[in-house]
Amino acid sequence: MLRFVLLALVTGLLVAQTQPPPKSSPQQAEQPPEGSQPIRVSVENVLAPVLVLDRSGTFVSGLRPDQFRLFDNNKEQNIQVDETFVPISLVILVQANARVEKILPQVTKIGNLIKPFIVGDQGEAAVIAFDSRIRTMQEFTSDSEKITAAVKKLAYGSTPSHLIDAVDDGVRMLRTRGKDRRRIMLVIGETRDYGSEGRGRETLINLQVNNVDVYWVDMSHLLGTLTSGPPDPRPDNLPPAMHSMPGIVPATPTTVMQTYGTEGNSAEFIPLMVEIFRDAKNIFKTSPAVLFTRGTGGTQFGFYKQHGLEDAIQQIGERLHSQYLVSYNPNNKEEGGWHQITVDIIGKDYKTQTRPGYWLAAK
């Protein structure tokens, strides 16, 4: 009997070993490796805040809706220009890691400036602090005292700075706000990311799809002043093209302009945006601060001392409250890829500043 049982077990094992492995379903076999899946983006309504300036650089107010013309990939769009004030939902992201220990006490003093200068009586704000963690210090509130208290509670933490992850969290908070509100993100921190899991390209797409404008107050200048050694007494008279560029990027006039300055909707900035969305380099060639601000039509400011931070917040408020809100439902959604936005003022020699465009997946 025992010999029979052993024979049966051996036979069963041999049969099991000769069975072919289970075939994966066609759906499983065709899945691309993680991280290489194409991004699918659909756009129903595009919001393009427009700042209009005269030849002297002064903000122009009082324009009529019929004076605006907007082009999406050179195709004129049927637009709506909002003439009434649209309440603001603001997320404030503050870098609170060990690198900014000396600066943070200055940042904690600006809480009482947010309501009068930026969000106003009808607006609301939330506060996020980030180092290696993303901490929500205050959910959305219109109570200026709660905003001030949340900013005062900021304390520095670990060395990493998960900037991109923090921006992702800010987008998640803002997209819960109604379409009848403007979605603004104010980042107070350095311009580089140290340790995020998220990828900047996807973050930029989410910012654009959710109509979030990013404004940045850069800590880097003041941080360098407080932590650097004695300055080099020799003046730096070299032109920008003779300075080193990120990675192995050649210092051509175009790449220098892309790296060292131009408005977000300028022609020089568009090639860099296209490269980012095509993921040709698979990495930022310039800082997230530059791409997030220029890619959404926002602005980047620096500060060297306390009143510089206050001035930056005041200037951000002035820009926000001087913009015309132009919205439209694109009539060329079948065109995949980069959609460039340009705005003209009929009959006037005015300069306009708006978001440079957005990315749309091909149907």
Side-chain angles (χ1 to χ4, degrees), residues 68-309:
F68 288 81
R69 297 179 68 195
L70 183 145
F71 299 86
D72 184 311
N73 276 357
N74 297 319
K75 293 181 174 59
E76 187 167 4
Q77 303 291 314
N78 182 19
I79 62 175
Q80 177 180 341
V81 182
D82 205 321
E83 299 181 85
T84 61
F85 174 75
V86 177
I88 290 175
S89 291
L90 171 73
V91 168
I92 307 167
L93 300 183
V94 182
Q95 181 178 334
N97 69 340
R99 290 173 56 84
V100 299
E101 175 186 357
K102 295 182 179 180
I103 304 177
L104 210 53
Q106 298 189 41
V107 178
T108 59
K109 300 176 183 178
I110 56 92
N112 60 351
L113 303 177
I114 300 301
K115 189 175 181 72
F117 285 127
I118 297 182
V119 300
D121 293 333
Q122 301 177 48
E124 59 181 4
V127 181
I128 292 177
F130 64 93
D131 51 1
S132 60
R133 305 156 295 167
I134 314 298
R135 294 169 287 156
T136 301
M137 308 297 292
Q138 175 63 56
E139 298 284 353
F140 280 108
T141 179
S142 56
D143 188 332
S144 60
E145 293 184 1
K146 290 183 178 179
I147 299 170
T148 302
V151 175
K152 284 184 177 179
K153 288 189 295 185
L154 292 169
Y156 71 91
S158 57
T159 301
S161 174
H162 291 192
L163 166 61
I164 293 175
D165 292 344
V167 173
D168 284 333
D169 268 33
V171 175
R172 280 191 285 270
M173 292 183 72
L174 283 167
R175 69 186 180 199
T176 65
R177 318 321 287 170
K179 293 183 179 179
D180 58 339
R181 307 187 72 90
R182 288 199 64 184
R183 299 169 179 176
I184 307 296
M185 187 178 297
L186 169 62
V187 183
I188 303 176
E190 295 180 276
T191 62
R192 295 285 180 177
D193 182 275
Y194 301 95
S196 283
E197 295 181 3
R199 296 181 62 205
R201 182 174 71 117
E202 284 78 359
T203 301
L204 181 55
I205 290 175
N206 285 332
L207 286 165
Q208 293 178 338
V209 169
N210 289 285
N211 292 314
V212 177
D213 302 339
V214 179
Y215 289 81
W216 207 288
V217 181
D218 178 11
M219 286 181 173
S220 302
H221 298 302
L222 184 57
L223 181 64
T225 301
L226 293 174
T227 59
S228 64
D232 189 343
R234 293 172 299 177
D236 181 6
N237 296 319
L238 295 176
M242 294 186 68
H243 288 84
S244 61
M245 296 289 290
I248 56 173
V249 179
T252 65
T254 298
T255 57
V256 170
M257 290 289 284
Q258 290 169 355
T259 302
Y260 291 104
T262 60
E263 293 295 335
N265 54 354
S266 67
E268 291 85 0
F269 188 64
I270 300 302
L272 178 62
M273 296 293 292
V274 174
E275 287 298 308
I276 291 297
F277 287 119
R278 286 178 178 169
D279 210 17
K281 306 298 182 184
N282 203 28
I283 193 170
F284 279 106
K285 290 303 180 185
T286 187
S287 71
V290 170
L291 290 172
F292 292 164
T293 53
R294 296 181 188 176
T296 62
T299 309
Q300 184 179 344
F301 298 86
F303 76 97
Y304 294 88
K305 50 183 109 176
Q306 177 64 35
H307 73 80
L309 175 58

